Amino acid sequence: MIIDPSYQNQLSTMHGRGQFRNSGSKMLKSVRPCIEQYQPTSLLDYGCGHGALMASIQELYPSMRVEGYDPGNPKHNKMPKRDFDVVVSADVFEHIEPQYLDQTLTLICGKIQKAGWFRIACYPAKKHLPDGRNAHLIVQPPEWWRDRILNIMDLNIVKEDISVFDKSHKWPDIVGHNYDVVVEIK
């Protein structure tokens, strides 16, 4: 497993409190063009949380095999052994422990048979871990993440979208970018 056990316990605590809940239907709008383009028969949601996006995808594409992995959720903390046509990961890469980033990106790449869709938050999180650290352990600009995808994952980037994320009206330090990227295997 590519996660420190104490960090995994912190994530499990936060998941248990419902602190990582998100709207799967909201994220589906962003993921759907990738699904439509690549027509996968199987999909892995890496960092699936409570499975909201998985459920939304499964409802829209009932014949697709949809699985999820999230080390912080006991219901989904077993990595599937198989590979998948498409791997999606929404707001997850920035939560990976820096010392395990390259190894984790390599693992994710190895699960992709056709393509991947990733959304990476390039700004501090409003949430903090129980130990006081910001929940976004890696806050780097989109260019830094692009370099990691190209050089560590060795994938082709076929589409990128960088959007401004500014919640400074609510939280003064929550400003940055969302980096959405579609990749294909070489």
Side-chain angles (χ1 to χ4, degrees):
M1 187 175 311
I2 311 172
I3 187 169
D4 182 88
S6 65
Y7 179 55
Q8 185 175 23
N9 288 336
Q10 290 184 68
L11 292 176
S12 294
T13 297
M14 293 178 79
H15 275 287
R17 294 179 186 154
Q19 291 181 282
F20 287 125
R21 295 198 184 272
N22 61 16
S23 170
S25 59
K26 220 185 226 185
M27 197 58 69
L28 179 61
K29 180 179 172 187
S30 298
V31 174
R32 192 170 181 183
C34 178
I35 295 171
E36 293 295 325
Q37 179 177 351
Y38 293 98
Q39 297 291 307
T41 59
S42 61
L43 181 143
L44 172 66
D45 182 356
Y46 187 94
C48 65
H50 290 276
L53 179 57
M54 286 185 343
S56 294
I57 292 170
Q58 193 69 79
E59 183 178 333
L60 192 59
Y61 304 96
S63 64
M64 186 187 305
R65 182 174 180 167
V66 180
E67 296 183 42
Y69 169 74
D70 195 304
N73 185 339
K75 292 181 182 175
H76 301 290
N77 69 0
K78 301 287 187 260
M79 174 63 75
K81 294 193 185 307
R82 63 187 309 273
D83 296 342
F84 296 83
D85 289 341
V86 168
V87 174
V88 300
S89 188
D91 292 329
V92 173
F93 287 12
E94 63 275 11
H95 294 276
I96 298 168
E97 295 166 286
Q99 67 269 31
Y100 297 123
L101 179 63
D102 292 356
Q103 192 177 356
T104 302
L105 294 179
T106 300
L107 172 74
I108 293 168
C109 180
K111 294 289 180 188
I112 299 172
Q113 291 182 327
K114 290 182 181 179
W117 178 92
F118 313 133
R119 168 167 289 164
I120 306 167
C122 304
Y123 50 86
K126 66 179 180 180
K127 296 175 183 142
H128 288 79
L129 298 167
D131 69 7
R133 289 181 293 165
N134 190 280
H136 288 177
L137 299 177
I138 303 174
V139 178
Q140 293 291 342
E143 298 79 16
W144 187 89
W145 285 106
R146 183 180 209 282
D147 182 63
R148 284 287 182 276
I149 291 167
L150 290 172
N151 294 309
I152 303 301
M153 299 181 91
D154 196 31
L155 297 167
N156 290 321
I157 294 176
V158 295
K159 184 176 182 203
E160 298 173 284
D161 182 48
I162 300 171
S163 58
V164 174
F165 186 88
D166 186 348
K167 296 292 182 180
S168 59
H169 62 284
K170 290 182 181 180
W171 306 285
D173 297 328
I174 311 301
V175 178
H177 297 92
N178 276 319
Y179 179 44
D180 291 0
V181 60
V182 176
V183 296
E184 292 179 348
I185 61 165
K186 290 184 174 181

